[in-house]
Amino acid sequence: MKRIAVIGYGVIGKRVADAINLQDDMKLSGVCDIISDWRIQNAVRKEYDIYAATQEAADKMKSEGISVKGNMQEILNKSDLVVDCTPKKIAAQNVAIYKKQNIKFILHGGEKHETTGHSFSAENNYESALNRDATRVVSCNTTSILRTLTALKRADLLDYARGTLLRRATDPWESHLGGIMNTMVPEKDIPSHQGPDAKSVDPDLDVITAAVKVPETLSHMHYWNVKLKKQATKEEVLNALKTSSRIKLIQYDQGLVSNNTIKEMFLDMGRPWGDMYEVALWEDMLKVQGDELFYAYIVDNQAIVIPETIDAIRALTGIETDGAKSIAKTNESLGIH
């Protein structure tokens, strides 16, 4: 069984660790960080092996009563692959360590495509990641773009797509540290980076995005205008979107009128942290006019990349060569139905 290390136990790292722990074809070898506060103490409560990224961190952890299994080198020595969930740019610095160790590694969307030479989205390019040394699971917004546009492309409906993204200001747990209030901050460039990022996975996509940061923290919201290859019915479009198991069609007229009501639904479903691994797309808002398609959806920035990461582990290690089988296995483990 492949042993997987998680470096960085923050918003993404803790979710990746829990997801690995749910799989029966891989094993969590431990988590490694520099923190010694309540965050890593929760990992201790879950009986995960704790490793310290630096000697200073190890000393601090021990002073807080945390049992430290070893340092970063030691967790790499006993692992087959590492998932780096450290903050933006730190992961890029760690790449040299992973390459020297000759260990496979996965980065996330905060890093550049060139850092790994491959970007990953399970429903789009699983097979191209098989047995590679490294990949980058694209960002939350880019993941949502790829899932929706890939579904339309599979049905031979997609000509080109133009999207406007309302981006959350910061992660919920960091709301006291930063973010914005009483304003909106547009991203300077059009296209914003998400469109070109999607093309790092699928260069054939004709997609342009614009983005604005808004004063809330729960999730992102997207509005899309898609030019279809031909005139289509709403039913044809919905059937195409339903080919993705990671798009959840929701109904505005059932009270799901906002990102907070959607979050509440997932909390009531018993998902850890109320996590929404799927793209929540409003079925009754979706409109088709001739060869134009309009729709909107919500993206859980803390959760959407978790199933993608599990699939990327399987692809890089060769545990599963069939992308559809990996996706189904991951979905089952995380309660995606």
Side-chain angles (χ1 to χ4, degrees):
M1 190 175 293
K2 299 296 184 181
R3 297 159 301 172
I4 315 300
V6 172
I7 310 295
Y9 194 74
V11 168
I12 300 298
K14 65 184 179 183
R15 288 169 164 84
V16 169
D18 282 6
I20 291 168
N21 216 32
L22 291 172
Q23 311 307 312
D24 62 9
D25 55 357
M26 61 186 77
K27 180 177 175 57
L28 181 69
S29 51
V31 300
C32 180
D33 210 310
I34 59 171
I35 54 176
S36 55
D37 60 12
W38 60 272
R39 291 169 289 173
I40 202 73
Q41 288 165 15
N42 276 328
V44 174
R45 276 190 279 275
K46 291 177 179 180
E47 299 184 341
Y48 295 160
D49 287 348
I50 310 299
Y51 293 79
T54 67
Q55 186 57 50
E56 182 183 0
D59 294 341
K60 183 76 169 109
M61 286 178 183
K62 290 171 183 174
S63 74
E64 296 290 341
I66 296 169
S67 174
V68 179
K69 288 284 185 180
N71 58 31
M72 185 167 163
Q73 185 62 52
E74 288 171 296
I75 191 174
L76 295 182
N77 287 344
K78 61 174 61 175
S79 302
D80 299 295
L81 178 146
V82 57
V83 182
D84 193 306
C85 304
T86 57
K88 192 174 182 178
K89 296 184 179 176
I90 293 177
Q93 296 170 17
N94 287 340
V95 165
I97 299 171
Y98 305 147
K99 287 183 175 178
K100 184 179 179 182
Q101 181 75 15
N102 198 27
I103 186 172
K104 292 175 182 280
F105 61 92
I106 294 170
L107 307 183
H108 285 93
E111 308 308 321
K112 294 186 181 301
H113 171 78
E114 292 72 25
T115 314
T116 60
H118 186 272
S119 294
F120 183 88
S121 181
E123 292 180 336
N124 186 289
N125 70 340
Y126 183 97
E127 280 74 17
S128 70
L130 286 174
N131 300 308
R132 285 185 61 90
D133 291 332
T135 192
R136 177 186 71 116
V137 173
V138 292
S139 73
C140 48
N141 281 315
T142 305
T143 295
S144 74
I145 293 167
L146 286 161
R147 283 187 194 166
T148 48
L149 297 188
T150 298
L152 295 172
K153 183 180 175 182
R154 273 197 303 264
D156 199 31
L157 289 172
L158 178 65
D159 187 358
Y160 60 79
R162 308 292 181 251
T164 300
L165 287 57
L166 285 70
R167 299 181 60 204
R168 62 95 178 95
T170 189
D171 285 329
W173 90 272
E174 291 185 311
S175 300
H176 63 297
L177 299 176
I180 57 174
M181 290 181 66
N182 198 34
T183 190
M184 294 185 288
V185 183
E187 197 165 312
K188 180 186 175 186
D189 295 319
I190 299 176
S192 58
H193 69 273
Q194 296 85 3
D197 199 31
K199 296 181 72 155
S200 73
V201 172
D202 188 344
D204 294 335
L205 290 178
D206 183 344
V207 55
I208 297 174
T209 51
V212 56
K213 192 180 291 185
V214 297
E216 57 86 25
T217 64
L218 284 178
S219 53
H220 307 298
M221 183 182 291
H222 289 214
Y223 276 86
W224 284 88
N225 176 9
V226 174
K227 174 72 162 52
L228 301 173
K229 279 188 173 181
K230 57 189 177 186
Q231 291 201 2
T233 64
K234 180 172 181 174
E235 184 180 17
E236 286 176 293
V237 170
L238 289 174
N239 285 339
L241 294 173
K242 287 173 183 176
T243 63
S244 168
S245 59
R246 293 176 181 173
I247 298 173
K248 185 175 182 66
L249 298 176
I250 59 172
Q251 303 292 334
Y252 194 96
D253 66 5
Q254 289 183 0
L256 297 171
V257 299
S258 56
N259 58 354
N260 61 294
T261 53
I262 294 167
K263 181 75 171 179
E264 191 70 13
M265 178 181 73
F266 279 88
L267 283 163
D268 286 352
M269 286 165 59
R271 290 277 182 90
W273 299 285
D275 279 352
M276 182 175 74
Y277 307 115
E278 307 92 330
V279 176
L281 189 148
W282 278 288
E283 179 177 354
D284 47 355
M285 191 189 297
L286 183 146
K287 293 288 186 296
V288 180
Q289 293 189 358
D291 60 358
E292 283 192 283
L293 166 64
F294 304 87
Y295 56 84
Y297 60 72
I298 294 290
V299 179
D300 187 338
N301 49 285
Q302 300 183 113
I304 191 172
V305 300
I306 305 307
E308 306 290 326
T309 303
I310 298 301
D311 293 328
I313 292 170
R314 288 204 184 93
L316 261 61
T317 57
I319 294 172
E320 177 56 71
T321 57
D322 186 326
K325 288 181 180 178
S326 177
I327 289 167
K329 191 174 182 68
T330 303
N331 288 355
E332 182 64 29
S333 71
L334 296 177
I336 302 171
H337 301 296

